[in-house]
Amino acid sequence: MSTADAQAHAARTLWNLLHAWWQMMPKGKRTLADADAAIRQARKDLDFLAVLPAQAAQAVLKTYFQAWKNCWDGRADAPNFKGRFRSVMAVDIPQGRDLNVKRVHRRWGMVNLPKIGRVRFRWTKDLPVGKHAGTVNRITGARLVKDALGWHIAFRVTTLESRPEPHQGPAVGIDVGVIVPLALSDGTIFEHGEWLTEKDKTKLLRLEQRAARQRKHRKAGERTSRRLHRTYDQTAQLRAKAKRRAANWQHETTTGIARTYGTVVVEALTITNMVKSARGTVDEPGKHVAQKTGLNRSIAAEAWGRTVTMLTYKTARFGGTLVKVPAPGTSQRCSACSSTTAGSRESQAVFVCRNPDCGWSGNADHNAARNILHLYRIGLVAIPAAGRAVARRARRVKPPTAR
């Protein structure tokens, strides 16, 4: 196990110890000072926690308390234990003064990591180092994160940016889908191909078959063999490669949209309800379970929520705005006459209005995008569900300071 892996496991263990301490202590003793004293005592009693730098341990403490504040404000669920195989391995470096970041090559840089040493990393974005660093533009910390492809470092940078001028671009409605990922109200379509090449898909199928054979020979209660772990790691690497390519396409696409349009209008979708299983119960089994399972996988693969998140901060960066409108009826309503007639949605790609006085026909995705834009123009804007939840919770519970 590398030093970075040991630090990540120590940080996860420290989080779990903090959570156990929180559950055992009475409400009056759940203070930051008492938790800090408990952490210091745990680092003395447990030798393997000493591999984690003291600043990183303090970062775990602050993150845990912030998680409870987010829960009390209605922005997140209550923090829980972090499992060994279900949680992301990460180490926070809250102080940037000792990182000593230097660029040694056009593609590579060097950084000092506490209790790890000098490490080389891939230089992908400009950082305020050397003559570009100052009191305003400077690196304030970093975070190490591990995925199936290895360790990555993300730097926290403070900089002074001017407020962007209001975007003078037009407004556009966006309809998200499975067949057509993004369809705009002006007729533009953004599509993508397969995230894995044919060679990668063949390798992935071979690895899945190998894992099935290796699991067949494992007895009940027996530990997973190293060969099976190796097969799992290779499968995870291919899936991580596909996920990285998908995120790259989303970044490029959303950046182009934010640069072009001043107002971006999307549907207020509840994705968690859309991907619920159709399996049903023993007494009332579901119908078309296999088809619904495939649809759920396709929706999850498109990552609509991540696309909206990217558009939210990118439109603000370029001086634009993102608006959400109610989702019901946008795909069944005719964008020409605003009527909803049964049978108008002939297929996934074609919309033909069955209203005798209209008869408009066109692409179904463009029709939905035009309806989305129309809802914004008439002032029908969705109220964020998180805002309503916070308002209800504020009337029920005491403020966080009372805890």
Side-chain angles (χ1 to χ4, degrees):
M1 181 186 298
S2 65
T3 307
D5 291 342
Q7 290 189 6
H9 286 303
R12 178 185 57 83
T13 305
L14 190 60
W15 173 284
N16 292 337
L17 292 175
L18 268 174
H19 189 63
W21 174 87
W22 180 277
Q23 292 179 326
M24 291 186 299
M25 297 297 291
K27 291 184 178 181
K29 297 292 185 178
R30 295 173 182 174
T31 63
L32 193 63
D34 292 340
D36 180 62
I39 284 181
R40 294 177 184 273
Q41 186 62 37
R43 286 171 58 85
K44 293 179 181 179
D45 297 339
L46 303 176
D47 295 336
F48 71 93
L49 291 181
V51 71
L52 187 68
Q55 295 82 2
Q58 293 296 319
V60 174
L61 173 61
K62 293 179 180 179
T63 304
Y64 184 79
F65 269 70
Q66 184 62 42
W68 275 112
K69 291 181 180 179
N70 294 338
C71 173
W72 297 335
D73 294 339
R75 297 192 300 267
D77 295 332
N80 206 336
F81 283 95
K82 290 188 176 182
R84 180 181 179 88
F85 299 106
R86 292 182 288 105
S87 58
V88 178
M89 295 183 64
V91 180
D92 198 12
I93 307 173
Q95 295 181 349
R97 60 190 179 188
D98 299 328
L99 292 175
N100 192 18
V101 180
K102 290 185 179 180
R103 189 169 189 173
V104 297
H105 188 263
R106 182 171 61 91
R107 294 185 177 181
W108 295 98
M110 299 290 290
V111 59
N112 284 334
L113 299 179
K115 295 192 176 184
I116 296 178
R118 198 74 171 157
V119 176
R120 187 178 68 167
F121 66 93
R122 185 69 178 267
W123 196 284
T124 56
K125 287 188 177 181
D126 292 333
L127 295 172
V129 296
K131 63 180 180 180
H132 301 288
T135 56
V136 177
N137 298 327
R138 57 190 177 90
I139 298 175
T140 59
R143 183 173 177 82
L144 294 174
V145 181
K146 186 180 183 181
D147 62 6
L149 298 176
W151 281 98
H152 310 275
I153 184 169
F155 294 97
R156 287 190 297 270
V157 178
T158 177
T159 183
L160 184 63
E161 293 186 0
S162 59
R163 184 182 298 272
E165 296 293 333
H167 202 299
Q168 301 301 325
V172 66
I174 299 180
D175 177 63
V176 295
V178 175
I179 305 299
V180 178
L182 296 178
L184 276 57
S185 57
D186 60 0
T188 307
I189 287 180
F190 292 96
E191 295 179 303
H192 59 76
E194 296 288 341
W195 303 126
L196 293 177
T197 62
E198 292 298 328
K199 183 178 179 181
D200 291 335
K201 289 190 288 187
T202 302
K203 183 179 179 181
L204 179 61
L205 177 61
R206 186 172 65 251
L207 290 172
E208 290 176 345
Q209 292 174 346
R210 182 188 303 173
R213 291 194 302 269
Q214 292 171 345
R215 286 195 300 266
K216 186 186 301 183
H217 298 287
R218 190 180 65 172
K219 298 179 181 179
E222 186 180 3
R223 294 184 60 183
T224 304
S225 65
R226 293 187 178 182
R227 290 184 178 181
L228 183 54
H229 271 303
R230 175 59 179 168
T231 305
Y232 285 155
D233 292 341
Q234 291 177 338
T235 304
Q237 290 175 3
L238 285 176
R239 298 189 185 279
K241 184 187 295 185
K243 183 178 179 180
R244 181 176 295 184
R245 290 171 179 172
N248 180 69
W249 178 85
Q250 285 182 309
H251 275 293
E252 293 179 350
T253 304
T254 52
T255 300
I257 293 174
R259 289 180 184 272
T260 306
Y261 302 99
T263 303
V264 178
V265 189
V266 298
E267 295 175 294
L269 297 174
T270 307
I271 303 176
T272 54
N273 294 338
M274 298 175 64
V275 297
K276 283 186 177 180
S277 175
R279 185 174 301 175
T281 61
V282 177
D283 298 331
E284 297 181 0
K287 299 180 180 180
H288 307 291
V289 178
Q291 293 85 338
K292 184 62 169 65
T293 302
L295 178 62
N296 292 347
R297 290 177 179 174
S298 300
I299 294 175
E302 292 300 329
W304 296 339
R306 187 169 60 190
T307 300
V308 174
T309 301
M310 292 181 181
L311 284 172
T312 302
Y313 72 81
K314 289 183 180 181
T315 51
R317 180 184 300 171
F318 290 104
T321 55
L322 183 133
V323 181
K324 293 183 179 181
V325 298
T330 55
S331 59
Q332 287 81 25
R333 188 183 308 115
C334 177
S335 59
C337 65
S338 300
S339 63
T340 302
T341 309
S344 296
R345 187 71 181 266
E346 288 192 347
S347 64
Q348 183 68 29
V350 179
F351 183 93
V352 179
C353 182
R354 298 303 181 183
N355 185 358
D357 299 330
C358 179
W360 180 88
S361 63
N363 184 276
D365 298 311
H366 292 160
N367 176 74
R370 291 172 60 180
N371 285 327
I372 293 171
L373 180 60
H374 177 70
L375 293 178
Y376 162 71
R377 287 175 174 172
I378 64 176
L380 191 59
V381 180
I383 300 176
R388 295 196 298 268
V390 171
R392 290 195 301 266
R393 191 175 183 85
R395 292 192 295 268
R396 284 201 311 265
V397 303
K398 299 178 181 180
T401 54
R403 295 173 182 261

